[in-house]
Amino acid sequence: MVIKRRHRALSTAPLVLVLLAATGCESTPGARPEPAAAPSTSVAQPVTQVCAKPPAGPAEAPAGAVAVDPAVVGDLAAKTKSSPPNTTFWLRPGTHKLDPDRYAQVVPKQGNRYLGAPGAVLDGRKTNQYAFSGTAGNVTVQYLTVQNFVAPPDEGVVNHDSADGWLIEHSTIQYNSGAGLMAGARQQVRANCLRNNGQYGMNAYKSGGSISGLVVEGNEIVGNNTGDWERRKEGCGCTGGIKFWAVNGADIRGNWVHDNRGPGLWADTNNNDFRIEDNVLEANDGAALIYETSYNAVIRKNTIRRNNWVEGRKYADRGDTFPFATVYVSESGGEPRIRARTDKIEIYQNVLENNWSGITLWENADRFCNSPANTSSGDCTLLVKKTDLCARPAIATAPLYADCRWKTQRVDIHENRFVLDTSVVQCTVKCDRMAVLANYGTYPDWSPYQGERVAEAITGKQNNRWHDNVYIGPWKFVAHDPSRVLDFGQWQGTPYQQDTGSTLRAQGGG
């Protein structure tokens, strides 16, 4: 499987945004907080602590199941090969091994089910690349620990080939290189521990097609990206608890996503129709949530705490004035022409507490279909079928002028609670921003989006609206471009007229 490299939109911010001002932040270079044992009592949502006490599988083989012997190397793969579709396999207690060849793997048949007994582990011994692969649909993996596989970057260990209809449930997938698992259409990932994998807990990517009907529910997703891929390959955009690519319809609910190196959840490039609700997103080094070059989402009733301390502080220490936020909406918005359960991005009834900044709505004016600055290489918006249509002179006129650009539009942010205590975050500046902005368009020379056109559109013409929120702490607001830092009165006043019905109490950040 080959994945074209996508780069974070943040990396394309122009150098003019970088200043050499002091940040006033206390930091320890290279320091990374220890994973939280449990959230504090102020978390609004209950958390699913799967990793501490995973549920045990059946102590005896179900009727008709094929028992797999851990004492026989390669027994699971051999019995899978010799058994018909729709067979249930029961892995006895103990450590199960594949043959000592990097490409040794289990290739399920349609409808197979793999059940782990208490203490059943499938161990790749840092030798095998993949645990479960192939294109068979409706495979189930339950109550099994899968660990120590060495998948290459961007590839996954469980459901390596992104087959459809899989159920991965009550399992622990840990200490693997690459991604713990891949995703296919109608996949359900429920009540698992996705822990300490080298790149992602899950890489929701399907080569040559999109994924629909994905459910990720009740999982603990912790400590992933142990390989620190952004440091090894700066700007790769290839890290996080979970990364989603071209997923059309996803329900992400009731998960505890914490202490991942990089972002917690990252939807990148032509995702649509997401519901992200009732999650606890906590203590991730980067943003809790990035929704990038994508469409139509509901983000509600999440508890979002202590995220972005590492990455936010890193950029601030460099003198960068960009408002790096804990919820980052980048070239994404509501689009009624694309079918979904909503026609906007609605962010409401969330609690955001002591993160590095709040919500940033951003557009890169130079990032559009067919532009050399489009870091989603080769991709175009869902409104234009052929990328090469986005060229002069047609791109300068309707409908391509609007449709060749991923737009941050129709974003409705309301009834959220934003709490900031700078003594907790340990900063004095640049960790207190709420923002809607774009850069000055400059590139390429045939771009119809040069100058302040995009900045003016995202700020005042694309129906991006904050209202009826509660702010506690010394919040500041950024509009149009990074140089326009506003107080609450200016943010509410003309011409921005944001946060109607909202309140701010500047003191008492707790």
Side-chain angles (χ1 to χ4, degrees), residues 4 22 33 41 51 84 134 141 208 223 233 255 267 321 333 354 360 369 371 430 439 501 503 507:
K4 296 179 181 178
T41 55
C51 296
V141 179
K233 194 167 185 176
N255 304 284
T321 61
N354 291 329
T360 288
C369 300
S371 168
K430 299 182 183 175
N439 59 326
T503 61
Q507 302 300 320

Short mmCIF file of all heavy atoms in Angstrom, two decimals, residues 4 22 33 41 51 84 134 141 208 223 233 255 267 321 333 354 360 369 371 430 439 501 503 507:
data_model
loop_
_atom_site.label_atom_id
_atom_site.label_comp_id
_atom_site.label_asym_id
_atom_site.label_seq_id
_atom_site.Cartn_x
_atom_site.Cartn_y
_atom_site.Cartn_z
N LYS A 4 0.13 8.64 -0.61
CA LYS A 4 0.76 9.89 -0.99
C LYS A 4 0.90 10.77 0.24
O LYS A 4 -0.01 10.87 1.05
CB LYS A 4 -0.07 10.63 -2.04
CG LYS A 4 -0.19 9.87 -3.35
CD LYS A 4 -1.05 10.63 -4.32
CE LYS A 4 -1.19 9.88 -5.63
NZ LYS A 4 -2.06 10.60 -6.58
N ALA A 22 9.35 37.38 22.45
CA ALA A 22 9.42 36.39 23.53
C ALA A 22 8.03 35.90 23.84
O ALA A 22 7.05 36.62 23.72
CB ALA A 22 10.03 37.03 24.77
N PRO A 33 4.85 15.18 28.90
CA PRO A 33 4.21 14.73 30.13
C PRO A 33 3.97 13.24 30.14
O PRO A 33 3.77 12.60 29.11
CB PRO A 33 2.88 15.51 30.14
CG PRO A 33 2.69 15.96 28.74
CD PRO A 33 4.03 16.08 28.10
N THR A 41 -11.25 15.19 38.42
CA THR A 41 -12.68 15.11 38.72
C THR A 41 -13.50 16.16 37.98
O THR A 41 -14.72 16.07 37.96
CB THR A 41 -12.91 15.28 40.23
OG1 THR A 41 -12.29 16.52 40.65
CG2 THR A 41 -12.30 14.13 40.99
N CYS A 51 -7.66 0.17 28.86
CA CYS A 51 -6.32 -0.40 28.93
C CYS A 51 -5.98 -0.94 30.32
O CYS A 51 -5.23 -1.92 30.45
CB CYS A 51 -5.29 0.64 28.51
SG CYS A 51 -5.46 1.16 26.77
N PRO A 84 -12.93 -23.60 6.34
CA PRO A 84 -13.81 -22.88 5.42
C PRO A 84 -14.14 -21.48 5.93
O PRO A 84 -13.85 -21.14 7.08
CB PRO A 84 -15.07 -23.75 5.39
CG PRO A 84 -15.09 -24.41 6.74
CD PRO A 84 -13.64 -24.66 7.09
N GLY A 134 -5.60 -9.24 4.03
CA GLY A 134 -6.48 -9.79 3.01
C GLY A 134 -7.74 -8.97 2.82
O GLY A 134 -8.00 -8.01 3.55
N VAL A 141 -12.58 -9.75 15.23
CA VAL A 141 -11.45 -9.99 16.13
C VAL A 141 -11.88 -9.48 17.51
O VAL A 141 -12.17 -8.30 17.68
CB VAL A 141 -10.18 -9.26 15.67
CG1 VAL A 141 -9.03 -9.49 16.64
CG2 VAL A 141 -9.77 -9.69 14.25
N GLY A 208 -7.38 3.65 -3.03
CA GLY A 208 -8.24 3.59 -4.20
C GLY A 208 -9.71 3.80 -3.94
O GLY A 208 -10.53 3.66 -4.85
N GLY A 223 -1.06 7.17 23.89
CA GLY A 223 0.38 6.99 23.75
C GLY A 223 0.87 6.64 22.37
O GLY A 223 2.00 6.15 22.21
N LYS A 233 10.39 13.20 10.23
CA LYS A 233 10.06 13.66 8.88
C LYS A 233 9.14 14.87 9.00
O LYS A 233 7.93 14.79 8.86
CB LYS A 233 9.39 12.53 8.09
CG LYS A 233 9.32 12.79 6.60
CD LYS A 233 8.95 11.53 5.84
CE LYS A 233 9.01 11.80 4.35
NZ LYS A 233 8.74 10.57 3.57
N ASN A 255 -15.04 7.84 23.31
CA ASN A 255 -13.66 7.39 23.41
C ASN A 255 -12.87 8.27 24.37
O ASN A 255 -13.19 9.44 24.58
CB ASN A 255 -12.99 7.44 22.03
CG ASN A 255 -13.75 6.64 20.99
OD1 ASN A 255 -13.68 5.42 20.97
ND2 ASN A 255 -14.50 7.32 20.12
N ALA A 267 -8.83 14.42 11.00
CA ALA A 267 -9.52 14.11 9.74
C ALA A 267 -8.91 14.98 8.66
O ALA A 267 -8.97 16.21 8.73
CB ALA A 267 -11.01 14.37 9.88
N THR A 321 3.46 33.72 15.51
CA THR A 321 2.23 34.35 16.00
C THR A 321 0.96 33.65 15.54
O THR A 321 -0.14 34.09 15.86
CB THR A 321 2.16 35.81 15.54
OG1 THR A 321 2.15 35.86 14.12
CG2 THR A 321 3.34 36.60 16.09
N GLY A 333 -15.63 23.05 5.97
CA GLY A 333 -16.86 23.73 6.29
C GLY A 333 -18.09 22.96 5.90
O GLY A 333 -18.03 21.84 5.39
N ASN A 354 -8.29 24.58 29.89
CA ASN A 354 -6.83 24.65 30.06
C ASN A 354 -6.07 23.97 28.93
O ASN A 354 -5.12 23.22 29.14
CB ASN A 354 -6.42 24.11 31.43
CG ASN A 354 -6.87 25.01 32.56
OD1 ASN A 354 -6.95 26.23 32.39
ND2 ASN A 354 -7.19 24.43 33.69
N THR A 360 -9.54 27.52 16.27
CA THR A 360 -9.08 28.34 15.15
C THR A 360 -9.75 27.86 13.87
O THR A 360 -9.73 26.67 13.55
CB THR A 360 -7.55 28.26 15.00
OG1 THR A 360 -6.94 29.00 16.06
CG2 THR A 360 -7.08 28.84 13.67
N CYS A 369 -7.31 23.36 -5.51
CA CYS A 369 -7.08 22.32 -6.50
C CYS A 369 -6.13 22.80 -7.58
O CYS A 369 -6.30 23.89 -8.12
CB CYS A 369 -8.40 21.91 -7.14
SG CYS A 369 -9.62 21.28 -6.01
N SER A 371 -3.14 23.73 -7.37
CA SER A 371 -2.09 24.65 -6.95
C SER A 371 -0.87 23.88 -6.48
O SER A 371 -1.00 22.87 -5.77
CB SER A 371 -2.58 25.53 -5.80
OG SER A 371 -1.49 26.22 -5.19
N LYS A 430 0.02 33.98 23.98
CA LYS A 430 -0.12 33.11 22.82
C LYS A 430 -0.80 31.77 23.09
O LYS A 430 -0.93 30.96 22.18
CB LYS A 430 1.24 32.87 22.15
CG LYS A 430 1.89 34.14 21.64
CD LYS A 430 3.21 33.84 20.94
CE LYS A 430 3.88 35.15 20.52
NZ LYS A 430 5.22 34.90 19.95
N ASN A 439 -4.21 33.64 5.38
CA ASN A 439 -3.00 34.33 4.99
C ASN A 439 -3.25 35.22 3.77
O ASN A 439 -4.30 35.16 3.14
CB ASN A 439 -1.87 33.34 4.70
CG ASN A 439 -2.23 32.37 3.59
OD1 ASN A 439 -3.39 31.98 3.46
ND2 ASN A 439 -1.26 31.97 2.79
N GLY A 501 -24.57 37.13 22.59
CA GLY A 501 -25.13 36.31 23.67
C GLY A 501 -24.11 35.59 24.51
O GLY A 501 -24.48 34.82 25.40
N THR A 503 -20.66 35.40 27.18
CA THR A 503 -20.15 36.14 28.33
C THR A 503 -18.66 35.81 28.51
O THR A 503 -18.19 34.73 28.14
CB THR A 503 -20.90 35.77 29.61
OG1 THR A 503 -20.73 34.36 29.87
CG2 THR A 503 -22.39 36.08 29.48
N GLN A 507 -11.15 37.07 34.95
CA GLN A 507 -10.42 36.59 36.11
C GLN A 507 -10.98 35.26 36.60
O GLN A 507 -12.08 34.86 36.24
CB GLN A 507 -10.47 37.62 37.24
CG GLN A 507 -9.93 38.99 36.85
CD GLN A 507 -8.48 38.92 36.43
OE1 GLN A 507 -7.67 38.20 37.03
NE2 GLN A 507 -8.12 39.67 35.38
#
